[in-house]
Amino acid sequence: MSVTEQDVRAAAPANTPEDVLAWVAEVAALTTPDAIEFSDGTQEEWDRLTSLMVETGVFTRLNEEKRPNSFLARSLPSDVARVESRTFICSEKEEDAGPTNHWADPVEMKATLKEKFTGCMKGRTMYVIPFSMGPLGGPISQLGIEISDSPYVVCNMRIMTRMGKEAMDLIAEGKPWVPAVHSVGVPLEDGQEDTTWPCNDEKYITHFPETNEIWSFGSGYGGNALLGKKCFALRIASTMAKRDGWMAEHMLILRLTRESDGRQFHITAAFPSACGKTNLAMLEPTIPGYKVETVGDDIAWMRPGPDGRLYAINPEAGFFGVAPGTSYSTNPMAMETMKANSIFTNVALTDDGDVWWEGIDGEVPAHLIDWHGNDWTPESGEKAAHPNSRFTVPASQCPIICSDWEAPEGVAVDAILFGGRRASNVPLVAEQYEPAHGVFIGASVASEVTAAATDVKAGALRHDPFAMLPFCGYNMADYWGHWLDMQAKLGDKFPKAYQVNWFRKDDEGNWLWPGYGDNSRVLDWIVRRVAGEVEAIDGVTGRYPKFEDFNLDGLDVTEESWAKLFHICPDAWAAEMDDTEEYFKTFGDKVPAPILEQLAKFRERIAAARD
Ligand code: GTP
Ligand code: SPV
Ligand code: MN
């Protein structure tokens, strides 16, 4: 027997408003689940669902002494990351999705979805998950309700968002909310046994920006399934932000406090997926005199405040971070954050019931169970953890979480960084010449592709403007225009932009910059620039630090390797600008004139450098 409207009413908390009840009943009638539950976000619910998933084999409970209240899940090889080719922006006009998004006609897509979702929850429980992105009731925060047939999603949403009763209370007060429907897309026939990672080979991650709706079918993984994250907080929110004069960005947020005068600086940074946002957000400075506190590691919502400055909140409540490469030497604060109450997906399991991945501290174990669930030894020749395996952890467990990370009004941003993985050409750091140049820096970001999406070739260089290529819910060129509008609105209070690159290599393929904690040296220069305490040298890509101003104490960086870090090859940059021009052409006449002017100015600087 599938869920009826009476069942919906019986299961719903007493204060559930009529519009929510009607929507849930409608989705239940379409998807025909066997049971329905409204998530309340309590510990009791977590305990019950995690135990249920241990029973059904979805979760492996980790060693209670080493990793209390923590679980391992293994997905299928066909469902390990975002699928960009199956992600759709269904705006009425194709040009509003733009050339960087997959567009689908909203009426046609709704018809397809209707077919896909019909009966898709048969044999399963439908979970109704009210959540807030951002602190509950905050002026920048937003509400949503995800319907999902995956208990794995419920538990992840409990970590990643403010989920449950309080969110429903706000919805009951009449605040707007975003409806988001998710199904793994595997109905169970009577008597059919479930698998530990149900998912459908056909996937649809769809967004309807004009009606603020999200429908996701076929995947249980990460950004495909935790709909508050990329689908809402970036794709839908970016379109809302354009409409309403704010910004939704793929950015970390950190606070840097300078001990000498107690001055606080807030920095946001947009790096593409798996390019070091979590690392920078939890940085341990290798130079004295600074304290870093984490506000967020993936998404920033920014709005002009009453003083005309730009204020940022982290809409998330947890971190969904890349596991491989994370260790006490690369990111000790992330290691501390995941000591308990965590979900690990697609990492390896040790013989004593703990987690392992490539790049974690210590010796490589002689035996593991790999992410497929198979025996693994160092001789296996394959990775034990999937390159996009991740930890889901409560942000509140981070030892350096900022005391103001839940400040409803956010923190005032002092500088904005743009980066990517660039083995060549892009220097360690460069400051914008003028605001439009800052937007040009963001618009011309290119980066080597990582494992964070399944269907793009890892390693290849691709344009990823503002690290938003997979996440901008509307035409990317209009998004650049929105940035220019926001800059114009805030004037000289709009933070300056900096281009950074931790990933430059020498001819032998060695990193030219030690990175990680030593990135504090770059932040040190940036905040001294923000404070107007240090000069910069004009160059081709922007303004660079003077060697003597930059803190290299205790580092093995000679003047020679410094020169390599900042070396500009005019031919290479001329080629890069030709490529950028070609890229801009794909947006037709939508590219804002100030961006094209910046391209011309860039070429003038290349020409001057040749003289
Ligand atoms: P998403 O969660 O996918 O949006 O990505 P993220 O930007 O938060 O990715 P994350 O911080 O997990 O990126 C980790 C990857 O960046 C690992 O491969 C790290 O080794 C690498 N990384 C981070 N910081 C540095 C650095 O300073 N230098 C070098 N060489 N690699 C770095
Ligand atoms: C990213 O790919 O940028 C992520 C991971 O942060 S996911 O939430 O899966 O999109
Ligand atoms: Mn991300």
Side-chain angles (χ1 to χ4, degrees), residues 296-345:
D297 84 326
D298 197 47
I299 299 174
W301 283 357
M302 306 195 288
R303 269 181 205 256
D307 59 358
R309 298 185 65 195
L310 194 61
Y311 283 77
I313 66 159
N314 170 13
E316 301 191 277
F319 307 129
F320 182 62
V322 179
T326 309
S327 69
Y328 274 95
S329 59
T330 60
N331 197 342
M333 291 304 120
M335 296 302 289
E336 288 293 312
T337 308
M338 63 178 89
K339 275 183 153 172
N341 314 314
S342 302
I343 298 169
F344 297 87
T345 309

Side-chain angles (χ1 to χ4, degrees), residues 221-245:
Y221 203 91
N224 299 335
L226 313 177
L227 303 185
K229 195 171 174 59
K230 305 296 178 171
C231 299
F232 182 174
L234 288 176
R235 298 194 192 97
I236 293 293
S238 62
T239 57
M240 290 177 164
K242 162 115 169 69
R243 281 197 293 265
D244 301 338

Side-chain angles (χ1 to χ4, degrees), residues 230 250 271-280 297-298 320-322 324-326 330 388 390 421 452 502-503 511 513-516 519:
K230 305 296 178 171
H250 193 202
F271 305 160
S273 302
C275 287
K277 287 186 300 299
T278 304
N279 288 83
L280 190 67
D297 84 326
D298 197 47
F320 182 62
V322 179
T326 309
T330 60
N388 191 44
R390 296 203 174 228
R421 280 177 193 262
W502 320 142
F503 297 91
W511 301 119
W513 178 247
Y516 301 103
N519 295 332

